[in-house]
């Protein structure tokens, strides 16, 4: 890892780590009366450990120029391993909080494990830890191959990977200490947000430079999606997190916005986080790994362009559907609702592209669990975007809002679409990256697929039932015109569904653990075939699906 | 300068509507333009092109 760096790159890496350590030391000094001081210690430690890690191999011989004849994949490899670690942790915490809703005593009476603190640990770990690392890993992989250009240098990608994971670590440890700005999916406080801005700008530059030096005349559509993801997340993150800290030595800050403007900014951010973090980036993944794995080009490249611009320009306006029946002006609510409905067009263009690309290769979908992960992801993408457009209609929202239906919708997207396309892409790319003929155990990939699918279906059906029951109970009146059910009645009605949800989540978690084990073993066990073509992914040859006796 | 609510509503209901329609039309024309077909088909195939590594 370090031996790949040239001497000057090793020196740059040490200087950057030293700067991080100095920042940590300053945070310890000014934040000593606050939880921020603990974060300072964490940052300081991260900087120092990195310096020692580089120091270990500092005098290793310089790499030969032969390295320039290959793509630079080490950061992608590390990010995939980190993604799987975050996946296991995030899913485990998610299932824990699901069981807490079944049995509230499962907090064990300490502050850090209360539902309100563990829930953001779950969402941040799975969305930013798992999803974010998978996006960084695959984006750098796809970028280099589709541009036929190597990453510009060997330090900045490492800064992105490790810097981003430091952000995730500061975020989740902060929640457990009670540090939060109480904005959903934007919980980290001001100094953690500032750190992410630095990391993200570097990520964008790392992405732009190989594109500028690309050999292909046309920028492949995956790169459009990945770039929209990086650029828009930067804009969203900076605007929504404009805040003034009470002092430089305190974690607490106050938002620059107040009242309904604050709510609107937050859900402009929140829904576009869904759009550009959880959709655009993963569509970029899909448009590369699905054709590669299926061994056939995308069905309609034109449709992918139309859906790209549709998603980019429609999603921006959809956020206000989170604020139906609030103080937000009625016309802004209607605007959000209308754009949410129009979103169905670009969303289904992409979902249709998935299925039509696979049309004619269903034998491969049947035989190959990796490709099946991607196919199911496309189906769930289509279902979830239909459901989302429907739920954004004001009158439907009056039933669904604040109920578990929303939780079911989110997980249909997060488990069914995001996690499935990610696992599919990771299973495709791990053998390519580590030069293996195939995954350590295709049977375990198959097991993971069925565990993930069963878990998702159980989860989503439980939450649909629970949500609609809950919504109906909240709006049932008796003859005298008062509410027929007390709040506690609805909790009793939801209890069986909460057990089902936690069981579904457990299946998904077991699947994630099986996947992590399989990936680890693929990395650890050397392949029988060692001379696989160096950097080129191995697309399945068109029409090579092995015929079986029955055919 | 104070931006009034009525001004924002006015802009979004006039200019906002038309620029988005114009944009949608432009995107569809670009994507469906007959002479662009070869370029797009080529792009869709580009990821399969055999090559040994980065060009520089």
């Amino acid at each position: 890892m370090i031996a790949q760096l040239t001497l000057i790159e090793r020196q740059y890496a040490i200087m950057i780590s030293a700067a991080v350590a100095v920042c940590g030391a300053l945070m310890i000094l000014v934040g000593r009366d606050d939880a921020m001081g603990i974060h300072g210690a964490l940052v300081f430690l991260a900087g120092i450990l990195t310096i020692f890690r580089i120091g270990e191999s500092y005098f290793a011989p310089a790499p030969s120029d032969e390295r320039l004849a290959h793509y630079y994949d080490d950061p992608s490899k590390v990010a995939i391993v980190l993604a799987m670690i975050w996946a296991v942790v995030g899913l485990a915490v998610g299932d824990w909080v699901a069981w807490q809703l079944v049995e509230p005593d499962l907090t064990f009476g300490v502050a850090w494990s209360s539902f309100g603190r563990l829930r953001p640990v779950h969402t941040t770990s799975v969305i930013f830890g798992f999803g974010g690392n998978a996006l960084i890993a695959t984006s750098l992989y796809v970028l280099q191959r589709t541009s036929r250009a190597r990453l510009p240098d060997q330090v900045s990608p490492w800064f992105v990977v490790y810097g981003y994971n430091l952000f995730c670590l500061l975020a989740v440890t902060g929640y457990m200490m009670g540090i939060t700005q109480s904005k959903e999916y934007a919980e980290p406080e001001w100094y953690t947000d500032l750190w992410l801005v630095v990391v993200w700008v570097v990520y964008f530059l790392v992405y732009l430079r190989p594109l500028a030096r690309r050999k292909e005349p046309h920028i492949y559509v995956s790169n459009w999606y990945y770039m929209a993801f990086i650029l828009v997340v930067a804009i969203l993150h900076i605007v929504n997190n404009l805040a003034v800290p009470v002092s430089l030595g305190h974690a607490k800050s106050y938002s620059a916005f107040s009242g309904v403007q604050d709510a609107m900014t937050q859900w402009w951010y929140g829904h576009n986080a869904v759009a550009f973090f959880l959709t655009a980036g993963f569509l970029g993944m899909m448009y590369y790994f699905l054709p590669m794995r299926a061994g056939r080009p995308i069905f309609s490249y034109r449709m992918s362009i139309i859906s790209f611009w549709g998603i980019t320009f429609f999603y921006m306006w959809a956020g206000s559907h989170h604020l139906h029946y609030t103080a937000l002006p009625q016309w802004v609510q209607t605007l959000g609702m209308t754009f949410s409905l129009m979103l169905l067009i670009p969303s289904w263009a992409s979902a249709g592209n998935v299925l039509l690309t696979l049309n004619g290769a269903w034998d491969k979908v049947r035989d190959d669990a990796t490709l099946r992960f991607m196919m199911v992801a496309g189906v769930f993408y289509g279902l979830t975007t239909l459901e989302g457009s429907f739920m954004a209609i004001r009158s439907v929202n009056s039933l669904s809002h604040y109920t578990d239906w929303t939780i079911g919708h989110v997980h249909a997207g997060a488990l069914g679409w995001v996690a499935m396309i990610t696992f599919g892409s990771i299973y495709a790319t791990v053998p390519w990256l580590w030069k293996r003929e195939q995954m350590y155990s295709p049977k375990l990939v198959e097991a993971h697929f069925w565990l993930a699918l069963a878990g998702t279906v159980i989860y989503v059906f439980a939450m649909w039932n629970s949500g609609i029951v809950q919504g109906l109970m909240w709006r049932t009146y008796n003859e005298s015109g008062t509410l027929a059910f007390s709040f506690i009645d609805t909790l009793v009605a939801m209890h069986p569904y909460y057990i089902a949800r936690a069981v579904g989540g457990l299946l998904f978690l077991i699947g994630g653990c099986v996947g992590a084990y399989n990936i680890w073993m693929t990395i650890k066990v050397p392949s029988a075939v060692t001379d696989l073509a160096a950097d080129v992914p191995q697309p399945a040859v068109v029409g090579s699906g092995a015929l079986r006796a029955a055919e | 300068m104070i931006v009034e609510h009525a001004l924002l509503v006015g802009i979004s209901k006039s200019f906002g509507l038309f620029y988005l329609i114009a944009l949608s039309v432009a995107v569809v024309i670009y994507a469906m333009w007959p002479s662009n077909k070869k370029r797009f088909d080529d792009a869709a195939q580009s990821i399969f092109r055999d090559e040994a590594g980065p060009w520089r």
Side-chain angles (χ1 to χ4, degrees), chain B residues 13-27:
Chain B
K13 285 185 178 175
S14 55
F15 175 74
L17 176 68
F18 289 109
Y19 100 85
L20 278 168
I21 290 177
L23 197 80
S24 308
V25 171
V27 167

Side-chain angles (χ1 to χ4, degrees), chain A residues 315-357:
Chain A
Y315 255 121
M316 272 293 159
W317 304 95
S320 55
H321 71 224
H322 286 260
L323 297 164
H324 281 326
Y325 301 102
T326 63
L328 194 74
Q330 182 87 354
W331 71 271
V332 186
Q333 298 177 24
T334 310
L335 183 84
M337 173 176 118
T338 317
F339 272 90
S340 305
L341 285 169
M342 294 193 313
L343 266 172
L344 198 55
I345 301 164
S347 302
W348 274 31
S350 287
N353 234 342
V354 172
L355 296 180
L356 291 169
T357 301

Side-chain angles (χ1 to χ4, degrees), chain A residues 166-181:
Chain A
L166 179 61
F167 159 78
C168 294
L169 201 64
L170 290 175
V172 296
T173 51
Y175 308 151
M176 290 193 282
M177 294 188 289
I179 300 176
T180 171
Q181 48 178 14

Side-chain angles (χ1 to χ4, degrees), chain A residues 66-138:
Chain A
E66 216 266 318
R67 74 183 191 285
L68 300 174
H70 300 281
Y71 296 123
Y72 192 46
D73 287 330
D74 288 357
S76 295
K77 289 180 176 179
V78 168
I80 284 181
V81 172
L82 288 168
M84 290 311 295
I85 294 171
W86 281 109
V88 170
V89 172
L91 292 172
V93 174
D95 204 45
W96 181 8
V97 292
W99 287 110
Q100 283 187 354
L101 289 172
V102 175
E103 174 51 73
D105 287 338
L106 287 174
T107 61
F108 307 111
V110 275
W112 66 267
S113 65
S114 61
F115 181 85
R117 293 191 185 184
L118 281 188
R119 181 195 174 266
V121 172
H122 160 63
T123 53
T124 298
S125 301
V126 291
I127 298 174
F128 298 116
F130 169 55
N133 274 301
L135 285 169
I136 292 174
T138 57

Side-chain angles (χ1 to χ4, degrees), chain A residues 320-403:
Chain A
S320 55
H321 71 224
H322 286 260
L323 297 164
H324 281 326
Y325 301 102
T326 63
L328 194 74
Q330 182 87 354
W331 71 271
V332 186
Q333 298 177 24
T334 310
L335 183 84
M337 173 176 118
T338 317
F339 272 90
S340 305
L341 285 169
M342 294 193 313
L343 266 172
L344 198 55
I345 301 164
S347 302
W348 274 31
S350 287
N353 234 342
V354 172
L355 296 180
L356 291 169
T357 301
L358 293 173
N359 199 18
W362 294 110
D363 58 316
K364 288 183 189 166
V365 178
R366 181 194 60 198
D367 295 341
D368 180 8
T370 303
L371 194 56
R372 220 179 305 130
F373 263 114
M374 300 183 199
M375 188 274 288
V376 168
V379 172
F380 268 101
Y381 180 62
L383 287 175
T384 309
T385 47
L386 170 70
E387 187 189 23
S389 295
F390 182 62
M391 287 167 82
I393 299 170
R394 199 188 279 108
S395 48
V396 178
N397 202 261
S398 74
L399 175 66
S400 76
H401 205 182
Y402 309 116
T403 73

Side-chain angles (χ1 to χ4, degrees), chain A residues 261 317 329 331-332 335, chain B residues 1-17:
Chain A
Q261 283 87 352
W317 304 95
W331 71 271
V332 186
L335 183 84
Chain B
M1 188 185 112
I2 299 165
V3 182
E4 293 286 337
H5 178 245
L7 177 73
L8 280 177
V9 178
I11 292 174
S12 47
K13 285 185 178 175
S14 55
F15 175 74
L17 176 68

Side-chain angles (χ1 to χ4, degrees), chain A residues 158-171:
Chain A
W158 286 118
F159 178 75
V160 173
V161 171
Y162 286 127
Y164 182 74
N165 280 278
L166 179 61
F167 159 78
C168 294
L169 201 64
L170 290 175

